Every structure is written in C-alpha cells, then in structure tokens.
Amino acid sequence: MEGILRKKERALKVIEVLQNKFGHPKCALNYTTPFELLVAVILSAQCTDVRVNIVTENMYKIVNTPEQFAAMPLEDIETLIKSTGFYRNKAKNIKLCSQQLIEKYDGKVPQEMDELVGLAGVGRKTANVVRGEIWRLADGITVDTHVKRLTNLIGLVNEQDVIKIEKELMKIIPKEYWIDFSHYIILQGRDKCIARRPKCLECEIKMYCKHGEKV
DNA sequence: CTCCCGATAT
DNA sequence: ATATCAGGAG
C-alpha cells in the first residue's frame, strides 16, 4: 500500500499538467436550467455526452420543465430519449423525479446532496455533477467510468467500487480541486486515455500511469 | 451481484 | 462480433 502522501504528491502533479492543458473546464452537457442539466446527467448513464446533447437539443424544445415531464405519457418520454440507451429506466426515472421535484421542492432542483440523491435516477455521481456545475458546491468527487479507470491506472486508488473510490480520492485530492479534478480526468480519458485504444505515446501524464510508463 | 440498452469505434 | 459510453436501482 503506497503512502497517502506519495499519492497526494502524484495527484497534484497530474492536476498541474492537466490544468495547463485544459484550463478551466466546464460541463460538456448542454443545458439552460438546473433541471435541464439534471435530466441530461440522468440520460448520460452509459451514453456519450455527444449523443445526450443531440437528444436534449430536440427534446427541450418540446419539454423542459418538471411539470411538462410529469404530465407527459411515459411512452412519449421513452420515444424522445430512446437513442441514449436504458431508455425505459431513464424515462421512468425522469418522470418520477419530475413528480418528486413538484411535490417536495416546488418544482425546483434542490441543492443538498441528501435531497438530490433521494430523487429517482439520481445517485452520487449525478448529484456531484449538478452541485458542482450549477452552484460550485462540492462535498464529493464525481466518479464516472473515466475517473474509475484513470485513477486506478494512475495508482491513486486500487478499487472498483465507485463509492470507495470517491472516499479514497477525497482523502488524496485537496478540496479546492474536487470539482475540476473530475473534469480533467474525464477530458484526458476522452482525449488520450481512451478505453478502447489509449494513445499512451501522446499522453501528457504517461509518466504517472501504469500503462504509459512502460511506453 | 444483475439488469437495463442504443449508438459507435475497433 | 465485441467493448465502451459523464450510472442507478433492485
């Protein structure tokens, strides 16, 4: 087990490199309201953000409020979001989540982590993204498929459970970087550390990576 | 742990 | 054909 201090040191170096590369990153999902972002993040499960943006651009012209989704037949929501995959679960969650927002929060997206996680289809990953993006709030670190893969490769964690990964990262990453860290890792995951065919030769953080350091 | 699931790159 | 994509619920 590598020391926590050594991990912090390497994490800060990775952050420095990626900060210089990506600057001040923002969410790649398109939205105009907190609710639109919440729905977009729910749709982004196991789906590219490019696909989600194609779907939401069309859909939000028709429905973009909790009241409208709550009133819409489930089959119609399914049709609108079908191409994002898992469409039956997602449609059910979006509709139920909309009803919960109306009943409990006057149709507005709540800020507290506990409240967000209590909504249908909203887990810690989705809640972290919305809180960080909308209100710049962070009492957690977004752990998606990219963060899971890269933090293991970089050796910051040795763990597959996303909740445990998040807790470990919260010990290693200084809080001021909690929001941007995930953005950096995800952007690097798309640009260089692509799961299907990583471009280790061109990777800016290969010296900190289990794959890249062999190149 | 399994299931949900279409689109895309390889 | 197969792996992967800003996961969450049962």
Side-chain angles (χ1 to χ4, degrees):
Chain A
M1 189 61 171
E2 192 178 0
I4 189 89
L5 281 175
R6 192 59 60 94
K7 289 183 182 177
K8 279 189 182 180
E9 200 175 316
R10 190 156 70 257
L12 285 174
K13 288 181 179 176
V14 168
I15 288 170
E16 185 186 354
V17 172
L18 297 182
Q19 191 169 40
N20 288 331
K21 176 177 177 182
F22 295 116
H24 189 65
K26 72 176 198 61
C27 186
L29 296 166
N30 296 332
Y31 65 94
T32 61
T33 64
F35 178 73
E36 282 193 2
L37 176 63
L38 180 65
V39 172
V41 181
I42 290 173
L43 291 177
S44 72
Q46 297 295 290
C47 179
T48 62
D49 61 323
V50 174
R51 169 61 51 186
V52 173
N53 285 335
I54 291 171
V55 166
T56 54
E57 181 179 7
N58 173 54
M59 178 166 71
Y60 289 158
K61 292 175 185 169
I62 306 168
V63 274
N64 75 332
T65 66
E67 290 76 11
Q68 290 169 330
F69 276 105
M72 181 174 260
L74 200 53
E75 297 75 23
D76 293 357
I77 303 178
E78 289 180 353
T79 301
L80 285 169
I81 68 169
K82 189 158 194 171
S83 68
T84 66
F86 297 160
Y87 64 93
R88 278 189 283 260
N89 281 341
K90 289 175 182 175
K92 195 179 1 166
N93 285 333
I94 289 169
K95 176 152 183 162
L96 181 53
C97 177
S98 297
Q99 294 170 341
Q100 292 172 324
L101 288 175
I102 294 167
E103 291 171 13
K104 298 183 181 178
Y105 306 111
D106 193 31
K108 292 171 184 172
V109 180
Q111 292 194 9
E112 294 307 311
M113 175 64 78
D114 293 345
E115 297 174 326
L116 284 165
V117 172
L119 297 167
V122 179
R124 280 196 68 89
K125 178 260 176 178
T126 298
N128 276 325
V129 170
V130 170
R131 283 166 54 76
E133 177 74 12
I134 301 291
W135 301 291
R136 202 74 194 168
L137 294 171
D139 45 28
I141 296 176
T142 300
V143 179
D144 73 329
T145 180
H146 295 292
V147 175
K148 177 178 174 180
R149 185 175 73 259
L150 270 73
T151 53
N152 272 284
L153 280 172
I154 297 167
L156 297 183
V157 300
N158 183 16
E159 177 63 60
Q160 296 305 310
D161 183 292
V162 292
I163 300 296
K164 293 181 182 174
I165 291 173
E166 184 182 354
K167 287 184 177 176
E168 282 299 304
L169 291 177
M170 287 165 74
K171 294 187 218 165
I172 297 168
I173 311 294
K175 192 162 186 175
E176 56 182 308
Y177 293 115
W178 281 9
I179 295 173
D180 287 342
F181 176 77
S182 296
H183 280 137
Y184 294 145
I185 295 295
I186 290 163
L187 289 171
Q188 188 69 5
R190 290 174 181 160
D191 182 43
K192 297 287 161 55
C193 193
I194 303 158
R196 270 186 275 244
R197 196 170 67 80
K199 303 176 181 176
C200 296
L201 285 172
E202 315 166 20
C203 183
E204 296 85 350
I205 56 173
K206 61 185 172 188
M207 63 290 287
Y208 305 115
C209 175
K210 290 174 183 173
H211 284 172
E213 65 190 5
K214 298 174 187 169
V215 178

